[in-house]
Amino acid sequence: MLMKPKILLIYTGGTIGMIKDPATKALKAFNFKELLLHIPELRHLECEITTLSYDSPIDSSNMNLSHWQEMGSTINENYDNYDGFVILHGSDTMAYTGSALSFMFEHLTKPIILTGSQLPIGDLRTDAKENLITTIELAAQRNAGRPIIQEVCIYFEYQLYRANRTVKVSADRFEAFTSPNYPPLAVSGVHLKIEQNLLWHHDYDEFAAVMDDKHAFAKAKKSNQIATIQRMNYRPDFVKEVVVLKLFPAITKEVVEAICSIQGLRGIVLETYGSGNAPSESWFIEILKKTLDRGVYIVNVTQCRGGAVDMGKYETSIQLKSIGMVSGKDITTESALAKMMYLLNYTNTLEDFKYYFEKSLRGELSI
Ligand code: ASP
């Protein structure tokens, strides 16, 4: 008999588990056990759920690098003991955490799905129950004994997204997230419809090696699908000396100069206009060039909700290309920041950084 899938449910905080403080009337995180009491339905799911909670759950606006690493190491340490991981997280910074986790886990063969809610679980009209129950169901989906989803995702309001493609777009609608440049991976309706062809597929070898499926492995090997056998690789180190600089029409030389000359700065995610355009004034280009020459990497991402950077398409981006800026293509700012923090730690030259940044590592950009 096939064993029930084992899911590790990690509670970090967020509105889902919050309650109104009687004194201040503000929402604050409360105890995980109380949260579970509100969802007795979890017991009826076709999987074994183990729960784990942060000692002090947080509002995700307090999220920092050490929290990312704490989540990462919890998953890494428990990787072989579970079939899937569900993280309850505040929605405010969920897209950043989801992006960071996607880079942390190379050759992932199991789902890591983040979810949360816009209304606390104790609220009559809460969106938390559906979000949590469906997320666990998705994390438990298997085919021939193997997890169907093998990447980091966000599930919110009937849609499953690739986490490193998401942005939070609403502070109050239940549809808090969107994935502007990549379609949802699954939609929950009467049936759970998973778009198999949109899922992130790493090489067949990892599948076979990790799941020890000798038959599938031999078949893949025969058809030359296997070059090397790779197991999940945990890479938790990020460089935090980075900044996001958003252009706006009245931006001054003083502001750009002040940001570019921050001591110890290693990288800038520059949010430009449209398809990667910026002022062509000489003071602007000169500051950026000097910054690049000092060894600070700059990635060009668009402020637009959808679409991609295409340096050289307009006159206003030709110079950015010629001074050596890296193209973020259609990556989100959240994902660009996480990817920059990750790659700054794992590459040594601008050439390497550029090569890996402009390439899809976890499905975070279209090529
Ligand atoms: N402020 C909350 C948080 O991000 C909002 C939410 O959970 O949706 O933790």
Side-chain angles (χ1 to χ4, degrees), residues 51-346:
T51 56
L52 206 152
S53 172
Y54 268 25
D55 291 338
S56 328
I58 57 166
D59 184 302
S60 78
S61 311
N62 282 318
M63 203 44 74
N64 61 35
L65 193 50
S66 66
H67 294 115
W68 287 355
Q69 284 163 333
E70 191 179 335
M71 268 176 256
S73 78
T74 301
I75 294 171
N76 184 44
E77 281 159 23
N78 289 287
Y79 193 74
D80 293 333
N81 304 328
Y82 292 91
D83 300 294
F85 301 86
V86 171
I87 303 179
L88 295 181
H89 191 291
S91 60
D92 287 350
T93 60
M94 195 184 282
Y96 291 92
T97 301
S99 300
L101 289 173
S102 77
F103 295 112
M104 253 188 228
F105 292 93
E106 193 184 17
H107 309 309
L108 197 62
T109 53
K110 302 181 180 187
I112 300 175
I113 312 182
L114 296 106
T115 193
S117 65
Q118 292 283 54
L119 282 175
I121 196 105
D123 196 289
L124 262 188
R125 293 179 49 252
T126 190
D127 52 330
K129 278 193 185 183
E130 197 283 322
N131 283 351
L132 177 52
I133 292 170
T134 308
T135 299
I136 294 175
E137 283 200 327
L138 283 163
Q141 296 293 310
R142 290 189 294 185
N143 186 7
R146 302 174 194 129
I148 292 182
I149 298 161
Q150 306 190 358
E151 57 181 299
V152 184
C153 301
I154 286 182
Y155 180 79
F156 228 88
E157 197 58 10
Y158 305 111
Q159 317 256 9
L160 181 76
Y161 303 108
R162 176 166 299 151
N164 57 31
R165 289 291 195 148
T166 60
V167 281
K168 184 174 178 182
V169 285
S170 177
D172 47 18
R173 291 180 54 165
F174 285 152
E175 297 92 349
F177 289 90
T178 193
S179 168
N181 289 324
Y182 200 74
L185 304 176
V187 177
S188 166
V190 172
H191 304 287
L192 268 184
K193 191 165 182 317
I194 300 177
E195 301 294 341
Q196 302 269 0
N197 57 333
L198 294 176
L199 296 176
W200 179 246
H201 288 295
H202 40 74
D203 299 336
Y204 200 71
D205 49 351
E206 301 141 30
F207 233 170
V210 174
M211 298 302 165
D212 205 17
D213 181 339
K214 302 264 174 10
H215 176 68
F217 182 64
K219 215 169 118 195
K221 195 163 187 178
K222 228 171 156 185
S223 60
N224 277 337
Q225 279 175 287
I226 294 178
T228 49
I229 296 175
Q230 293 157 315
R231 259 192 72 88
M232 188 278 285
N233 195 6
Y234 176 53
R235 295 164 168 271
D237 299 315
F238 288 79
V239 165
K240 63 177 189 314
E241 286 74 21
V242 293
V243 72
V244 177
L245 172 56
K246 180 172 184 157
L247 295 184
F248 57 94
I251 197 162
T252 61
K253 183 177 176 190
E254 288 68 34
V255 166
V256 178
E257 212 154 41
I259 290 177
C260 289
S261 54
I262 292 171
Q263 267 234 306
L265 188 68
R266 302 272 313 275
I268 302 173
V269 173
L270 185 69
E271 272 199 5
T272 57
Y273 309 122
S275 51
N277 308 316
S280 26
E281 284 175 81
S282 54
W283 66 262
F284 181 74
I285 303 295
E286 269 158 31
I287 296 175
L288 291 189
K289 172 141 186 14
K290 249 202 274 164
T291 310
L292 282 161
D293 290 347
R294 260 185 27 238
V296 178
Y297 301 167
I298 310 179
V299 171
N300 187 351
V301 301
T302 176
Q303 303 183 0
C304 292
R305 188 62 78 229
V309 161
D310 182 2
M311 285 192 284
K313 182 173 176 193
Y314 289 89
E315 221 173 31
T316 42
S317 65
I318 286 183
Q319 282 167 297
L320 300 184
K321 191 175 183 180
S322 68
I323 59 174
M325 268 177 60
V326 176
S327 174
K329 301 187 175 177
D330 66 349
I331 200 167
T332 61
T333 298
E334 291 84 340
S335 192
L337 190 80
K339 189 171 183 179
M340 173 175 265
M341 293 170 77
Y342 169 77
L343 283 181
L344 277 170
N345 200 61
Y346 294 105

